[in-house]
Amino acid sequence: MTSDIIIGPDGRPDAASSGRVAVAVGGIIDAHHHFWDLANNHYPWLQEQLITAHFGDYAAIRRSYLAPDLRADLGQVNLAASVHIEAHWRGGTAPEGETAWLTGHARDHGLPSVMMGAADLAAPDLDQVLAAHQAFPGFRGIRVMAMGRGAPEGAALYRDPQFQRGMAAMVAQDLCVDLQAPPITHVAVADLAAQFPKARIAITHCGLPLDRSAEGLERWRDGMSRLAEAPNVVVKLSGLAMTDWHWTCDSLAPLVQHLRTAFGPRRLMFGSNFPVDGLFSDYPTLLAGYVAALGPLPEADLRAIFHDTAKGFYRIDTPQPPKSKTP
């Protein structure tokens, strides 16, 4: 399949290649994207005080981004299903409101297929928040943000006994957990996965290889290899564009191929991270870039990475979603 992908002089693939990939796997599942409605909902990081983030200036995405916008960005890519990841709704206040809103949006537009909400796993009211989310059938679990949550960068959070009680609640309710896990947290997350072997854990954005020095990449490789020892951990091939703003297939390949070797295709899943990674690429080019970076693979492995892993992990049973209504 990758032999069909033409790499241009800029080191990026021909965007048309992504359409062939999507056909080959029977339609992709995008395991990580966001929607936001700035006209009717509240997102402080988009509407009020700007944040300092590893994706730099994000003025271009400070606008509503909804299912019709994602469908327009897909181009010729056939989307079988999608997983919405919480978008810091109301600064973390009443997060079940986002799940309620997304349920209505999916009813009207066919996307998202399922959704990951927000909750503080260390909070005393976690059970009530989870119950509120679970009133909606598309809810699948919680995304946890570690950065800025304690020294060193979230490792303290993952070792906190209150957080671990929250993890026990997630396991008891068979809910998925998406963990933001920069390299300094990898050991703590590996220990967490071992402590909760029945937990359904997804590492977002390839484990955030933000430090591209030789030492930084070695630390990232060691940490991801340690995480790969936990059979209940899967990894999202997502977010690399926002850690490598001028990415090429050659710059993605060493990271993507390390993950392919460490985790295998049945523990990897693709996520576009749109619209955030749309700051650095159009959707079809980004998809084809990940395929090219993986290197030659059998069609069954491509189908696992771009469809089957996400379908199983998030329990996506919906067929091809209907076309969006005209907004």
Side-chain angles (χ1 to χ4, degrees), residues 27-81:
I28 67 163
I29 292 178
D30 187 337
H32 196 113
H33 72 85
H34 310 283
F35 292 149
W36 43 72
D37 181 354
L38 302 193
N40 298 296
N41 300 329
H42 183 207
Y43 309 85
W45 71 287
L46 290 166
Q47 296 163 301
E48 297 172 9
Q49 184 66 38
L50 296 182
I51 62 172
T52 301
H54 48 270
F55 43 84
D57 180 1
Y58 58 95
I61 60 172
R62 295 180 67 197
R63 58 178 178 82
S64 292
Y65 190 83
L66 303 168
D69 302 295
L70 178 61
R71 290 188 186 279
D73 282 339
L74 288 169
Q76 296 183 347
V77 174
N78 177 27
L79 185 70

Side-chain angles (χ1 to χ4, degrees), residues 143 174 255:
R143 193 264 286 261
D174 200 20
L255 288 82

Side-chain angles (χ1 to χ4, degrees), residues 220-235:
W220 173 83
R221 284 192 295 269
D222 289 347
M224 295 308 291
S225 294
R226 172 75 182 274
L227 284 166
E229 295 173 4
N232 55 330
V233 172
V234 301
V235 174

Side-chain angles (χ1 to χ4, degrees), residues 180-206:
Q180 185 192 62
I184 203 162
T185 71
H186 288 174
V187 172
V189 173
D191 290 344
L192 189 73
Q195 182 180 351
F196 297 99
K198 293 185 178 180
R200 302 164 61 82
I201 297 173
I203 305 300
T204 65
H205 303 331
C206 297

